[in-house]
Amino acid sequence: MIYVFADNIRTFRKFGAVGVFEQGDALCPVGDFVALKQYVTAHLLWNPDLDWTALRDEFLKGYYGPAAPHLARVLVLAETSATRKEAPPMRCYHQTAIEWIPVETAHAALKEMDLALAAAATAGEPYLRRVREAKMSWDHAKIVHWSDWRMSGDRASAIRAWMGNLEEFKVNAYRETTTRQTLDDYLEGLMGADVH
């Protein structure tokens, strides 16, 4: 979650760190707001006193154009949900979203993603493509948590659409430390017999 970056970097500085190694989505360029995280982190490493929310908003406006307000709301929804008192702590390699994104938050965020797509479509490329990339991680979570999040429509069609985006955006891993074969095996399991 982006909201912890500034405090973490300031803590490293406070205790005398002279270098920081930050790592994000190593193998997947369309992970959860990868470019935004890189932008905010890079600026904070140069100057830890910068306002991370201003950096976030600056990036969203420049990179996503008219879709920026909707994507900002997606980020706030996710961060608010993750910091609820009853939410479990996040861990490295956390593989599900259901523990910290309840159904109401998921539906609100997915609606904002759809609004972001519509807004970006008015401005055309490259904004539309970038929003489609940002939406892929939410589409994946929606597929994985279809029942838990009480999604409507046809899950098989949603899986096929998501897999088409994987091919278009040349995604070869769905999480860190996996190979293309691991992705293919994962997709086979995700699809199930009824999707073929």
Side-chain angles (χ1 to χ4, degrees), residues 1 7 48 53 72 88 92 126 132 137 140 151 173-174 180 194:
M1 290 295 194
D7 285 343
T53 58
C92 188
R132 289 179 58 230
S137 60
H140 183 211
M151 303 311 306
Y174 73 100
R180 178 62 206 213
D194 61 326

Side-chain angles (χ1 to χ4, degrees), residues 116-195:
L117 275 176
T122 66
E125 299 294 347
Y127 300 118
L128 182 58
R129 181 179 176 85
R130 292 171 182 167
V131 173
R132 289 179 58 230
E133 288 175 343
K135 190 173 180 287
M136 284 182 66
S137 60
W138 280 91
D139 288 340
H140 183 211
K142 176 176 74 173
I143 291 165
V144 170
H145 302 301
W146 195 271
S147 297
D148 297 315
W149 283 354
R150 301 194 290 274
M151 303 311 306
S152 60
D154 180 41
R155 182 174 182 260
S157 295
I159 292 171
R160 285 192 201 96
W162 183 69
M163 288 175 62
N165 285 334
L166 292 178
E167 292 301 318
E168 179 183 348
F169 293 115
K170 298 179 176 30
V171 175
N172 290 310
Y174 73 100
R175 64 182 177 96
E176 194 174 1
T177 68
T178 60
T179 64
R180 178 62 206 213
Q181 184 59 53
T182 306
L183 175 61
D184 291 341
D185 293 344
Y186 175 73
L187 295 175
E188 183 70 25
L190 190 64
M191 289 189 304
D194 61 326
V195 181

Side-chain angles (χ1 to χ4, degrees), residues 2-3 6-8 20 22 45 51 58 67 100 108 116 118 120 124 126 129 147 151 156 158 162 166 173-174 181:
I2 300 171
Y3 70 90
D7 285 343
N8 287 351
V20 176
E22 296 280 7
L45 287 172
D51 177 354
E58 177 181 64
W100 50 272
R129 181 179 176 85
S147 297
M151 303 311 306
W162 183 69
L166 292 178
Y174 73 100
Q181 184 59 53

